[in-house]
């Protein structure tokens, strides 16, 4: 009889252990899920949207092409723009930059003046008033990041001012 009591007690203890731990397993995830959802929502609202809104990346290659001819940004917020040269040719032969011009700027006239501005990486001093922002001149495997803000909504042309590139390397930055 003593053995039957011991077995019954052991079975009862095992049953209690299983039900107690099962109950805890069910409540623990529910509590942590609620906490995770609440903290995730709180974190995404202030950081995710504003931080990523005006982060722009554009690539230039050895075939004299940008990978896009349209960029978009939100007016009045800082813009972080990265130009990546994904080719291999050095900047002396296949250099790229990205020059964002004021609305209404004559791109062809700007490019003609840029041809004579080798000393300043093809950014003509006489045309500074036409330029909103520009990257430095880079070669294959290089990149440059610039930061600037445009307060006024509009369509701003961008070009590569390396000699001969403006014909194929141009586009528009749409600021909404």
């Amino acid at each position: 009889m003593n053995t039957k009591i011991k077995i019954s007690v052991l079975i009862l203890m095992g049953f209690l252990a299983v039900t107690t731990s099962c109950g805890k397993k069910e409540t623990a995830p529910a509590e942590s899920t609620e906490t995770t959802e609440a903290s995730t929502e709180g974190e995404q609202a202030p950081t995710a949207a504003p931080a990523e809104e005006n982060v722009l990346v554009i690539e230039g290659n050895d075939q004299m092409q940008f990978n896009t001819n349209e960029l978009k940004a939100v007016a009045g917020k800082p813009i972080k723009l990265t130009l990546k040269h994904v080719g291999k040719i050095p900047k002396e032969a296949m250099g790229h930059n990205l020059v964002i011009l004021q609305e209404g700027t004559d791109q062809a006239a700007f490019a003609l003046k840029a041809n004579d501005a080798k000393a300043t990486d093809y950014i003509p001093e006489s045309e500074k008033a036409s330029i909103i922002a520009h990257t430095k001149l880079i070669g294959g495997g290089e990149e440059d990041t610039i930061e600037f803000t445009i307060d006024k909504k509009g369509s701003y042309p961008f070009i590569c001012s390396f000699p001969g590139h403006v014909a194929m390397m141009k586009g528009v930055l749409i600021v909404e």
Side-chain angles (χ1 to χ4, degrees):
M1 197 142 143
N2 213 358
T3 309
K4 286 183 181 180
I5 294 174
K6 284 182 184 177
I7 292 173
S8 296
V9 169
L10 286 173
I11 291 172
L12 182 62
M13 287 176 63
F15 177 75
L16 289 174
V18 169
T19 37
T20 305
S21 63
C22 285
K24 285 183 182 173
K25 285 181 184 175
E26 288 175 16
T27 57
E31 289 173 11
S32 65
T33 303
E34 290 171 16
T35 305
T36 303
E37 288 173 9
S39 64
T40 303
E41 287 173 16
E43 288 173 14
Q44 284 180 349
T47 58
E52 296 179 13
E53 266 182 51
N54 285 337
V55 175
L56 308 174
V57 178
I58 187 169
E59 298 175 353
N61 61 29
D62 287 342
Q63 288 75 41
M64 280 184 8
Q65 298 170 334
F66 285 130
N67 66 331
T68 185
N69 62 0
E70 184 177 283
L71 299 169
K72 290 188 177 185
V74 177
K77 298 193 179 197
I79 297 169
K80 183 176 182 179
L81 185 143
T82 300
L83 170 64
K84 294 182 178 185
H85 192 318
V86 296
K88 297 186 185 319
I89 301 174
K91 70 180 178 182
E92 294 77 22
M94 186 59 68
H96 297 316
N97 62 13
L98 189 135
V99 183
I100 299 168
L101 301 169
Q102 296 285 351
E103 287 181 300
T105 301
D106 184 338
Q107 296 174 41
F110 182 93
L112 281 174
K113 291 178 182 175
N115 287 340
D116 297 327
K118 184 178 181 180
T120 54
D121 285 341
Y122 305 104
I123 303 295
E125 292 288 331
S126 64
E127 299 303 303
K128 290 282 187 188
S130 299
I131 300 171
I132 293 173
H134 68 86
T135 65
K136 66 181 183 179
L137 189 69
I138 59 173
E142 297 178 329
E143 66 179 58
D144 187 33
T145 299
I146 57 174
E147 293 187 30
F148 58 97
T149 302
I150 299 176
D151 293 322
K152 184 181 165 205
K153 294 180 180 183
S155 296
Y156 300 87
F158 65 80
I159 64 167
C160 173
S161 67
F162 191 85
H165 288 199
V166 71
M168 295 178 64
M169 297 185 78
K170 58 186 171 182
V172 64
L173 170 60
I174 300 169
V175 179
E176 301 172 323

